[in-house]
Amino acid sequence: MTNHMFRKLAMAGCSFGALLAVPSFAQEAPTAAAGDQPEDVSGEIIVTANKRNENLQDVGVTVQAIGGDTLTERNITSLGEITKLVPGLSFAATANNTPVLTLRGVGFFDSTLASYPNVSLYLDQAPLAFPTTASQTAFDLERVEVVKGPQGTLFGNNSTGGAINYIANKPSETAGGGLDLTYGRFGRMEVATFVTGPLSETLKVRLAAKTVQGGDWQKSYTRDDKLGESNSIAGRLLVDWEPTSRLRVSINLNGWQDKSDPIAPQFVKLFNQGVPLPPEISAYPTAPASPRAADWNPVIDHPRANNRMVQAIGRIDFDVTDDITLTSISSYVDYKHDQSLEGDGTALISLDVPNTGTIESFAQELRLGNGGSGPIRWLLGGNYEHSDVDEANEVHFPAASGAFLPFFYQAGNSSNQRMRNYAAFANVEFDITDSLTLKGGIRQTRAERSSINRSYPVDNDAKFFLKPAFEAYRFFVLGLADPTIPDSFFPGPFLGGAADPATGLPGLYYGKLNEDSTSWLAGVNYKPADDVMLYANVSKGYKAGGFPTLSASFWSQFEPVTQESLVDYEVGFKTQFLDRRVTFNGAAFYYDYRDKQLRSKIIDPLFGILDAIKNVPKSTVKGFEFDLSARPVQGLSVYLQGTYLDTRVDRYVGIVGSTINPQTGFFEPVTANLAGERLPFAPKWQFATGASGNIPLSAAVELNIGADLRYQSNSTSVLGSAQAMADTRIDASTIVDARIGISDRDKRWSLTLFGKNIFNEYYWTNSLTTFDTVVRYAGRPAEYGVTATFRF
């Protein structure tokens, strides 16, 4: 750790030290306002990691639960910010503005809309199958649960890293409501509100809404221009109906629209494939090392977005007997995507991408299980999901080295992907004795996917370049005596520019991928004392394969990755002591990771290094983590969490560069053995620590103070040559947030001053190479503001 970080730790330590000096005052437990969750003075946290309500300390898997009060107190408003509270979880921005999550080194960096994540996302146990659909879900939440390790038995075939479940605040028994107002740096304003209560003895509702406006935080370093304005609105209606004592029906209707500016990357270095670079980009100044500095095209492809999502969730619980419940969860998601993105980090049009798409996804789960009170707890069920995802891009690059002016300076690509998933699962826990429990689970999954991919020049005159290029390929590479391609292969508009590498003939790519998998879990829980639990698990999970959406000149770039698998050997402990005022949990794990899916490169004979997706045959992840929290005196809470990861590629030969064949003039690959390298987005160390305290100022008012620190060591965003990994290195970062405010004792109102990244740390979440530049996606600079909350 650097001296710079030590100074931050020392300053944060002063804040924590001041909190530790908070005196203990005798006081009654605060009364929760209508619609909020009451404080649990016993220290119990209820989670649904096993798809039933259980005390966190009794669940024999690694789960981190973040309460809604914590999210509000720390002003956590997005999926990316949740990583501040979960060591081992990393967030990366992408060129297509789709979020990528990596948990314990397990993730898939691909910006394709149709790419399933390794960390599955849920709202009230209904799947948000594609990460972009969860972009604006983090509002009016009871809690967020992060379940670590492969969760294939209960959560399906796309959770090799883990699962994140958003639990929305539910309708309350009594009428109430609330209003949260936040104003911060850059003129950013947030307004959130809810009303809740019963409409009859059997019917309850809750209506919540949130909007975020303003906040241009990026600044052009070549002209007077700003970017980064927020413009989003989200809403959720929940209806709980209980017509009889055995039947419960819940409806969740939610949606959002996001017109916020996509982030612009920072141009930090030229990237040269060995071909002459255009003089405009060769002379372009790189971005200053500042979180706000960036550049983008100001006219034709100014970054913009207009994305929206609606979701309907229906849940029915019917008690077949006093102990057995039949549960049905149906979900439908409709998402529309329309944005224009900056790719190269300059004001030139070197890589600017208008990007559109749609997602329609239907999911159904039906399960039967008994309650959690008996010695045998079992669950049987089945899942069905079908999703249709269409995506189209226009890539504009007249100022890039890949442009063949005047006729080849923009290209289009698209995919139409169809997914069908069928699964059946079973899970059981059996108490051998009062202190010893055996558990096991299995899921059989059939995943079917098809894709139609296109890649084509937008200007049909490009055929005058591509036709002779493909004919040269057919002559020099395929050795055909007559390489001539008829003009009929280049219709107008030219919609099939990518060619079959086996024939050299252009056309549409049709792909199918059907896969079967069996996920399983076996484990044991042992409780030598009431507040001590030891557990050991062995589990296996899968992530389905998929097709990319990208620009290609040959079909080889459209080839899919096959499914990956992960076997997790894990032991852990959960303890509470000192009258449950101290909780200390930990786990150690070893992952046998096979066929990891990776965004990689392919050497295109015409254009050199281009994107593709590949499988890494074998990798290993080893690590441990801990979570220590304490309430040493009344009104004071402190915590310390950490994760250590040792990731390693065991077997993989990858492309690390290209060379030009002097005889043919085509690019050819340069490969290297990459065994021994670290996995992308897997920092070796991640820590989070913080404290919060409440000091009575009078019989009715108290002072609230808190601070939080998150540290992660360096990582890289790619797996490739030593130079590529150095270019895309993500440096270590230390982020400190703080807050101070006042509230009444029952939390019916509060006024809080907050600061995020108060030391203005310059950090970035992702770094990658484009046609001619290496770019970074910077984290937000120091922000501060004030929040007022009201409950009634």
Side-chain angles (χ1 to χ4, degrees):
M1 287 187 271
T2 65
N3 290 334
H4 182 52
M5 183 195 168
F6 274 121
R7 287 196 296 271
K8 292 184 179 179
L9 287 170
M11 296 180 74
C14 292
S15 299
F16 301 153
L19 287 168
L20 291 172
V22 174
S24 175
F25 294 92
Q27 55 181 312
E28 296 179 356
T31 302
D36 287 341
Q37 296 299 308
E39 180 182 7
D40 190 341
V41 295
S42 70
E44 286 192 356
I45 300 172
I46 303 302
V47 297
T48 55
N50 287 328
K51 295 198 171 181
R52 61 175 179 267
N53 290 334
E54 296 176 285
N55 181 358
L56 172 65
Q57 294 301 110
D58 294 332
V59 179
V61 294
T62 305
V63 186
Q64 192 161 342
I66 307 159
D69 290 343
T70 299
L71 297 172
T72 300
E73 177 184 272
R74 300 180 192 174
N75 209 255
I76 302 299
T77 60
S78 67
L79 178 61
E81 287 187 308
I82 289 174
T83 60
K84 293 181 180 180
L85 307 178
V86 185
L89 180 64
S90 299
F91 170 88
T94 71
N96 277 15
N97 201 32
T98 52
V100 171
L101 295 170
T102 302
L103 187 54
R104 288 180 172 177
V106 180
F108 180 35
F109 174 70
D110 185 23
S111 58
T112 300
L113 274 183
S115 286
Y116 285 129
N118 293 73
V119 183
S120 55
L121 297 162
Y122 293 82
L123 174 61
D124 289 343
Q125 298 188 33
L128 293 163
F130 306 95
T132 190
T133 60
S135 298
Q136 305 295 324
T137 303
F139 72 99
D140 195 45
L141 297 178
E142 177 184 320
R143 66 184 181 276
V144 176
E145 297 175 7
V146 181
V147 192
K148 300 182 179 181
Q151 302 299 315
T153 303
L154 291 176
F155 287 94
N157 66 329
N158 296 311
S159 54
T160 44
I164 296 176
N165 194 12
Y166 293 102
I167 292 90
N169 275 317
K170 300 302 184 291
S172 63
E173 298 285 350
T174 58
L179 177 66
D180 297 351
L181 303 173
T182 299
Y183 184 80
R185 189 183 180 193
F186 312 121
R188 180 183 171 95
M189 179 175 288
E190 300 180 23
V191 180
T193 186
F194 73 91
V195 291
T196 182
L199 297 182
S200 70
E201 291 184 357
T202 62
L203 189 66
K204 298 178 294 184
V205 299
R206 185 181 184 102
L207 178 63
K210 179 182 178 180
T211 184
V212 183
Q213 303 292 328
D216 285 323
W217 64 277
Q218 290 191 293
K219 292 177 64 176
S220 170
Y221 59 92
T222 64
R223 63 187 186 279
D224 184 15
D225 200 1
K226 294 182 180 180
L227 186 71
E229 180 180 12
S230 296
N231 181 0
S232 67
I233 186 169
R236 184 182 297 129
L237 172 65
L238 292 99
V239 179
D240 287 353
W241 181 43
E242 192 170 350
T244 72
S245 61
R246 289 190 178 275
L247 179 63
R248 296 169 298 282
V249 179
S250 299
I251 303 296
N252 181 333
L253 304 176
N254 67 89
W256 51 262
Q257 183 174 45
D258 189 3
K259 296 183 178 181
S260 304
D261 294 341
I263 186 174
Q266 298 178 318
F267 167 38
V268 295
K269 184 180 179 182
L270 289 171
F271 174 69
N272 195 326
Q273 297 192 58
V275 297
L277 294 177
E280 298 90 345
I281 205 161
S282 297
Y284 206 89
T286 56
S290 166
R292 297 190 65 187
D295 223 341
W296 56 91
N297 181 265
V299 181
I300 299 176
D301 297 315
H302 186 281
R304 57 155 189 86
N306 185 5
N307 305 326
R308 67 103 175 131
M309 189 275 288
V310 293
Q311 181 183 32
I313 304 169
R315 174 169 175 158
I316 301 173
D317 292 281
F318 177 68
D319 296 332
V320 180
T321 69
D322 290 343
D323 296 324
I324 299 175
T325 300
L326 178 66
T327 298
S328 169
I329 301 177
S330 306
S331 170
Y332 175 75
V333 171
D334 183 273
Y335 173 79
K336 285 189 169 49
H337 188 78
D338 181 8
Q339 56 189 18
S340 184
L341 306 162
E342 171 61 44
D344 58 273
T346 75
L348 306 172
I349 307 177
S350 179
L351 182 58
D352 295 350
V353 186
N355 170 235
T356 60
T358 62
I359 296 173
E360 290 188 54
S361 182
F362 171 78
Q364 173 66 52
E365 176 168 306
L366 190 66
R367 64 181 189 244
L368 186 71
N370 66 349
S373 58
I376 300 178
R377 298 169 295 281
W378 55 268
L379 192 68
L380 300 171
N383 292 92
Y384 170 71
E385 178 219 336
H386 96 231
S387 298
D388 297 341
V389 184
D390 297 334
E391 184 177 8
N393 301 283
E394 281 191 12
V395 185
H396 297 183
F397 52 96
S401 60
F404 294 88
L405 298 177
F407 46 78
F408 192 56
Y409 54 86
Q410 56 185 4
N413 64 79
S414 66
S415 70
N416 307 94
Q417 302 200 32
R418 306 291 179 264
M419 289 76 80
R420 304 291 184 270
N421 294 289
Y422 313 83
F425 62 91
N427 199 72
V428 64
E429 294 182 1
F430 177 42
D431 296 334
I432 303 296
T433 68
D434 289 343
S435 59
L436 183 65
T437 300
L438 299 181
K439 55 191 177 180
I442 191 168
R443 175 185 289 257
Q444 183 66 38
T445 301
R446 170 73 170 179
E448 300 176 353
R449 181 184 287 240
S450 64
S451 184
I452 303 173
N453 289 69
R454 305 171 179 85
S455 188
Y456 50 89
V458 174
D459 188 338
N460 198 47
D461 288 340
K463 73 178 182 182
F464 294 111
F465 161 74
L466 291 177
K467 185 173 183 290
F470 287 145
E471 289 175 344
Y473 173 85
R474 287 162 59 81
F475 180 78
F476 288 106
V477 177
L478 300 180
L480 298 180
D482 182 9
T484 304
I485 302 176
D487 286 340
S488 60
F489 281 98
F490 299 90
F494 184 21
L495 296 180
D500 181 349
T503 64
L505 299 177
L508 301 182
Y509 171 87
Y510 295 87
K512 286 189 177 181
L513 185 65
N514 297 329
E515 298 173 315
D516 296 294
S517 63
T518 304
S519 301
W520 50 264
L521 175 143
V524 58
N525 297 342
Y526 175 59
K527 296 195 71 171
D530 287 343
D531 292 329
V532 177
M533 185 177 75
L534 309 176
Y535 63 90
N537 299 322
V538 181
S539 59
K540 185 172 186 177
Y542 288 84
K543 177 185 180 299
F547 297 85
T549 303
L550 41 71
S551 290
S553 59
F554 286 91
W555 289 357
S556 48
Q557 281 180 263
F558 295 143
E559 292 297 324
V561 285
T562 57
Q563 64 185 358
E564 67 178 31
S565 66
L566 189 151
V567 179
D568 173 22
Y569 304 88
E570 185 160 346
V571 295
F573 63 88
K574 295 188 175 185
T575 62
Q576 288 184 311
F577 43 92
L578 296 179
D579 196 23
R580 296 189 176 182
R581 293 190 174 276
V582 177
T583 300
F584 184 39
N585 300 337
F589 48 89
Y590 175 91
Y591 289 173
D592 182 359
Y593 199 2
R594 301 298 176 106
D595 296 318
K596 171 184 169 54
Q597 297 170 0
L598 179 74
R599 184 83 170 196
S600 184
K601 299 293 181 182
I602 194 171
I603 300 304
D604 183 279
L606 300 178
F607 299 100
I609 297 178
L610 295 177
D611 287 335
I613 51 178
K614 297 290 183 181
N615 289 100
V616 177
K618 187 177 187 307
S619 307
T620 301
V621 178
K622 295 177 286 186
F624 65 84
E625 58 193 14
F626 64 89
D627 185 348
L628 173 64
S629 61
R631 293 173 292 153
V633 295
Q634 194 164 2
L636 174 64
S637 299
V638 296
Y639 70 92
L640 175 64
Q641 305 163 341
T643 297
Y644 169 80
L645 292 176
D646 179 10
T647 65
R648 174 188 171 90
V649 174
D650 296 319
R651 189 169 68 249
Y652 179 56
V653 175
I655 292 172
V656 297
S658 64
T659 184
I660 296 178
N661 186 315
Q663 294 181 329
T664 66
F666 289 115
F667 286 99
E668 294 182 349
V670 176
T671 62
N673 185 355
L674 298 177
E677 300 294 347
R678 293 162 57 188
L679 295 178
F681 301 106
K684 182 169 286 190
W685 290 101
Q686 288 178 280
F687 293 105
T689 185
S692 57
N694 306 318
I695 307 172
L697 299 178
S698 69
V701 178
E702 64 184 15
L703 175 69
N704 308 306
I705 185 171
D708 304 281
L709 178 148
R710 182 180 191 269
Y711 167 79
Q712 73 173 35
S713 58
N714 66 70
S715 61
T716 185
S717 66
V718 304
L719 179 59
S721 68
Q723 184 60 56
M725 289 189 286
D727 287 344
T728 57
R729 173 186 167 102
I730 300 172
D731 279 355
S733 61
T734 306
I735 310 299
V736 179
D737 299 342
R739 59 199 174 273
I740 184 170
I742 58 172
S743 67
D744 72 339
R745 295 283 299 281
D746 61 6
K747 304 295 184 183
R748 292 185 178 274
W749 64 263
S750 68
L751 185 67
T752 304
L753 298 175
F754 68 86
K756 296 184 180 182
N757 190 13
I758 60 176
F759 298 110
N760 201 35
E761 174 87 339
Y762 172 49
Y763 70 103
W764 53 97
T765 63
N766 197 3
S767 183
L768 49 87
T769 58
T770 69
F771 281 144
D772 301 316
T773 63
V774 178
V775 298
R776 293 172 180 165
Y777 288 83
R780 295 178 72 95
E783 295 181 86
Y784 39 80
V786 59
T787 296
T789 67
F790 306 92
R791 298 291 181 267
F792 51 86

